[in-house]
Amino acid sequence: MSMPIAVAAGPAPARLRAVDAPAPAEREQTEPRDAAVAENWELVRAAQRGDTAAFGKLYDRYVDWVYRYVLLRVGDRHLAEDVTSETFLRALRRITSISYQGRDVGAWFTTIARNLVFDHVKSSRYRLEIVTDEVAEPGSRGSEAPGPEQQVISKTTSDELLRSIADLGDDQRECIILRFIQGYSVAETAAIMQRNEGAVKALQHRAVRRLAKLLPSGVR
């Protein structure tokens, strides 16, 4: 999926004063231990110093991820492309405002996209009418071992899954998308949805039970 945005167009952002490095004990608590997550946050810090190429790398790594989330939420390719482009333009303008808080930077991009989706669809309701070859396998990002709820999601085909997800309520649908299609952890999902982890777990449980009833009888 190709949706180039002008991450390097116009004057480059002014170079920023480097943030003082944390003391060793503090660094241990505020820097990610996962190598891939740490690498992404290094790109964030480089972008904060005015390195537009670093932001371009972040764009390349997350554009398809954000697009898939938006497409699942709005069900319209053109709108999904517009929202995805605006997500990264807004992220570029706000890149100096973020710091590591225990999550991959992808959760921040998704939060921006989520707010933009609300702006676009709050006055209308969209049904999911999605070409399934644009949607990756459910749970492809997560590293957690699949539990019984994940198995409910994984044992059905993408088109059956999407048709059933379309009939969930807004909150339940978003929870399912974030947890099992995007593969975010409970903590990341809670941050994106602006809820506590207990609320997300309860919402997930209700959503999966509802989804199991909506799925065709042959795949329950």
Side-chain angles (χ1 to χ4, degrees):
M1 194 269 300
S2 176
M3 286 184 308
I5 63 171
V7 296
R15 295 182 67 85
L16 303 174
R17 177 179 61 83
V19 178
D20 292 339
E26 181 183 353
R27 185 183 301 117
E28 183 177 346
Q29 296 176 357
T30 60
E31 291 188 357
R33 291 180 171 84
D34 180 87
V37 173
E39 181 180 355
N40 291 332
W41 280 101
E42 283 297 327
L43 290 173
V44 169
R45 286 189 280 271
Q48 290 174 335
R49 296 191 295 269
D51 185 345
T52 55
F55 188 85
K57 290 180 180 179
L58 288 169
Y59 173 84
D60 290 340
R61 293 183 182 187
Y62 288 101
V63 61
D64 289 339
W65 196 261
V66 171
Y67 172 77
R68 182 175 67 175
Y69 167 78
V70 176
L71 182 61
L72 284 164
R73 294 291 288 137
V74 304
D76 180 276
R77 293 177 184 173
H78 296 299
L79 179 57
E81 290 180 357
D82 290 343
V83 171
T84 300
S85 293
E86 178 60 27
T87 295
F88 285 93
L89 288 170
R90 185 168 294 188
L92 180 60
R93 292 194 295 267
R94 298 179 178 178
I95 193 68
T96 60
S97 68
I98 64 167
S99 60
Y100 177 69
Q101 295 180 347
R103 296 179 291 276
D104 185 70
V105 68
W108 181 63
F109 289 131
T110 303
T111 299
I112 295 174
R114 179 178 188 259
N115 292 335
L116 288 169
V117 167
F118 283 162
D119 290 343
H120 281 281
V121 304
K122 62 186 176 183
S123 61
S124 303
R125 294 187 64 84
Y126 289 80
R127 287 188 58 83
L128 296 176
E129 298 175 356
I130 300 170
V131 177
T132 57
D133 61 7
E134 295 194 38
V135 181
E137 287 299 315
S140 59
R141 176 181 179 274
S143 58
E144 300 173 6
E149 294 176 338
Q150 177 68 67
Q151 293 170 12
V152 171
I153 306 298
S154 298
K155 74 176 186 176
T156 184
T157 62
S158 294
D159 52 347
E160 291 168 338
L161 175 63
L162 292 174
R163 281 195 296 268
S164 298
I165 288 175
D167 291 327
L168 294 173
D170 290 342
D171 287 345
Q172 290 185 354
R173 182 167 64 245
E174 182 169 32
C175 183
I176 290 294
I177 290 170
L178 290 171
R179 286 285 291 122
F180 298 117
I181 296 180
Q182 295 297 87
Y184 282 115
S185 67
V186 171
E188 289 170 330
T189 300
I192 292 168
M193 296 189 70
Q194 300 179 1
R195 299 182 178 219
N196 62 49
E197 293 184 25
V200 166
K201 289 178 181 178
L203 180 62
Q204 172 184 309
H205 178 69
R206 293 194 300 270
V208 171
R209 290 187 62 182
R210 173 63 177 159
L211 187 59
K213 294 179 180 178
L214 291 171
L215 288 172
S217 58
V219 295
R220 290 179 189 170

